[in-house]
Amino acid sequence: MPYLDRWMARRMGVQVLPSARDVRLWQLARLRELLVHARKNSPFYAERLAGVDADSIRSLRDLARIPMTRPEHLRDNPDAMLCVSRDEIARVVTLNSSGTTGTPKRIFNTEGDQERIRDFFSHGMANMLRPGETALLLLPADRPGGVGRLLMDSLERMGAGGVAHGSADNGAEAVDHLLASDAQCVVGSPAQVNALASVWERRGLPPGHVHSVLLCWDAIPDAVVGHVTRALGCKVFRHWGMMETGLGGAVECAPGSGMHIREADVLLEIIDPVSGELLPDGEAGEIVTTMLFRWGMPLVRYRTGDRGRILPGICACGSPLRRLDSQVRRMAEGVETGYGRLTLAQLDEVLYAIPELIDFHAAWHPGESLLEVTAFGHSSRLGNLVRNELEALTNLGPDANVSVEVRHEDGPAVPGLAKRRIRIGR
């Protein structure tokens, strides 16, 4: 039985592999309990769910009767969403949205929420390393309850180890740490791991030292997956999650045919972002999540702002857990050029496919029809290669200007764990 299926069976209290129907009925039962709890204990949900008969929610179609929660609710009055006293809150996360100002979102986690994250991580990582092996974490691990610390706790439960590097703001330093720690697994954002892989390749280090890589935290370009696979000679896994979903949301299994959803904790829907209608498997729309066991601060039908789709059919590993397509992107990502929408995902696939490129960042100047790209790498021909790819983009328009600056640095282009985006203006 696959690792996540064993975990799902244990959480459901059954001994055999549950069917997809069993999983769905179990989730809906947990949802009904959560609705009753939230309406009883939270001022926000007492009003929000006043007209909802929890017992009538018997299928995914019935979820349309439940009002959705939006990011602004986490900004306007998050305390009203609490169902427990502040004394029961173990960690408060403050989220400033990339590129915006104003009141940040606030998310309250109980110790139970933290424990469920560790539980999911310890099973999701089982495909990537064995007991006795070590993972290098390109994530901060200095704060209790932070993502790096939770992951280190999870690895210890597996009998494995985690070495915290912190944010990999220099690929060469990350490679040095990887060699010194003799780690067999690397966990980090696509841009930071790509920088590490580029330095590894440039030094002529042999593939095969690293057995597996987990890419997380940001959108994951196929071009980065391909480069990391070739440079390190290892299996690359993908993960989707966000702070609002309790970090873990979905993770790829060994066959690599989609990311299995964390269905023991997350009830996930794909909706039409305009009509709100539930979309069938295979169709792309907005990802909406309900955390089934977030009893301290429930998030019921939370609109994530991410675009994705459920893959139809059964995974090659035989798991009944539903799978997200690995191509999850932000709904509002990109800029209008007058000739179409230019997205970071488009630039990622075109530019990361250049072997000499370590990383890049881009800015669009609307008044000048100018796309400005700063490329990181050490090749003398990198500037021309980047320019050629950009000038071939049809959605820039015939009058657009392209500016390319090359920095002979080991990247990544955006320090820390800020989400990458196309900047608007100077």
Side-chain angles (χ1 to χ4, degrees):
M1 188 187 298
Y3 293 109
L4 286 178
D5 289 357
R6 295 179 200 170
W7 168 73
M8 189 76 211
R10 176 175 61 80
R11 290 288 300 274
M12 291 177 64
V14 298
Q15 301 298 318
V16 297
L17 181 67
S19 68
R21 181 176 182 274
D22 292 337
V23 171
R24 202 67 54 243
L25 292 176
W26 181 85
Q27 286 185 314
L28 290 168
R30 304 292 78 74
L31 173 62
R32 291 192 292 272
E33 295 169 352
L34 180 68
L35 293 176
V36 172
H37 167 77
R39 185 167 57 193
K40 179 181 178 182
N41 296 288
S42 158
F44 172 83
Y45 284 112
E47 178 181 353
R48 196 85 175 156
L49 301 175
V52 177
D53 177 11
D55 195 53
S56 69
I57 308 301
R58 298 287 168 174
S59 72
L60 290 181
R61 293 278 173 197
D62 296 334
L63 297 179
R65 304 173 190 169
I66 305 171
M68 285 185 276
T69 308
R70 300 173 181 272
E72 53 264 33
H73 296 140
L74 298 178
R75 299 188 186 99
D76 295 344
N77 190 8
D79 288 77
M81 301 175 74
L82 285 174
C83 291
V84 298
S85 72
R86 279 293 198 107
D87 293 338
E88 296 181 57
I89 299 300
R91 187 165 189 261
V92 182
V93 180
T94 301
L95 296 176
N96 288 293
S97 298
S98 176
T100 64
T101 59
T103 306
K105 293 181 283 188
R106 302 193 77 200
I107 301 165
F108 299 88
N109 292 313
T110 66
E111 180 51 41
D113 297 330
Q114 305 279 84
E115 176 56 28
R116 280 182 284 277
I117 295 170
R118 296 186 189 98
D119 190 33
F120 173 69
F121 281 173
S122 64
H123 288 79
M125 291 295 297
N127 278 316
M128 298 165 218
L129 73 171
R130 298 182 294 271
E133 294 185 331
T134 301
L136 180 70
L137 311 182
L138 308 183
L139 299 165
D142 51 337
R143 295 184 180 181
V147 58
R149 177 54 57 186
L150 291 170
L151 186 51
M152 290 180 74
D153 293 345
S154 303
L155 293 172
E156 290 175 7
R157 293 184 181 186
M158 296 169 51
V163 176
H165 179 81
S167 174
D169 295 334
N170 181 286
E173 292 176 359
V175 168
D176 291 341
H177 199 175
L178 172 60
L179 293 170
S181 63
D182 194 29
Q184 295 80 30
C185 175
V186 178
V187 179
S189 72
Q192 295 189 7
V193 176
N194 194 67
L196 179 152
S198 295
V199 174
W200 186 277
E201 207 170 23
R202 193 171 73 249
R203 289 186 184 179
L205 295 168
H209 178 91
V210 173
H211 301 161
S212 63
V213 164
L214 177 65
L215 298 179
C216 58
W217 198 266
D218 208 347
I220 303 170
D222 285 339
V224 169
V225 173
H227 176 233
V228 172
T229 301
R230 292 189 302 272
L232 299 182
C234 67
K235 171 69 178 175
V236 175
F237 296 81
R238 294 176 251 212
H239 172 270
W240 170 81
M242 54 203 315
M243 287 295 185
E244 295 94 320
T245 64
L247 296 171
V251 66
E252 213 163 19
C253 66
S257 55
M259 300 183 293
H260 289 277
I261 299 169
R262 180 188 171 188
E263 298 214 84
D265 293 310
V266 181
L267 178 58
L268 189 145
E269 311 164 61
I270 305 292
I271 67 163
D272 182 299
V274 177
S275 69
E277 179 184 355
L278 181 70
L279 295 177
D281 292 354
E283 289 192 26
E286 185 174 3
I287 299 174
V288 173
T289 63
T290 298
M291 301 302 295
L292 296 172
F293 290 93
R294 188 191 286 274
W295 291 73
M297 183 188 194
L299 290 182
V300 178
R301 302 198 73 210
Y302 179 75
R303 299 190 68 156
T304 65
D306 278 357
R307 181 178 179 82
R309 67 179 184 126
I310 300 292
L311 294 174
I314 299 296
C315 179
C317 74
S319 173
L321 300 180
R322 293 184 301 163
R323 296 163 295 139
L324 265 180
D325 190 315
S326 61
Q327 298 301 310
V328 176
R329 298 291 184 262
R330 294 298 294 167
M331 299 280 295
E333 194 268 309
V335 296
E336 290 293 342
T337 67
Y339 292 87
R341 191 163 187 83
L342 178 68
T343 67
L344 185 61
Q346 181 184 14
L347 293 180
D348 282 347
E349 299 300 351
V350 167
L351 298 185
Y352 278 129
I354 300 172
E356 291 87 348
L357 181 92
I358 293 176
D359 199 8
F360 73 95
H361 61 71
W364 173 251
H365 306 281
E368 307 167 63
S369 294
L370 169 66
L371 178 63
E372 182 182 38
V373 170
T374 303
F376 287 63
H378 296 276
S379 169
S380 60
R381 63 179 194 147
L382 179 58
N384 287 334
L385 292 172
V386 170
R387 180 182 297 276
N388 290 341
E389 294 294 344
L390 297 176
E391 290 178 346
L393 296 175
T394 58
N395 52 353
L396 282 183
D399 300 323
N401 300 304
V402 172
S403 170
V404 180
E405 175 191 357
V406 175
R407 294 186 183 176
H408 299 294
E409 301 175 17
D410 289 325
V414 179
L417 290 175
K419 297 295 179 70
R420 299 171 60 251
R421 61 188 178 90
I422 300 176
R423 193 176 69 247
I424 306 293
R426 299 191 182 278

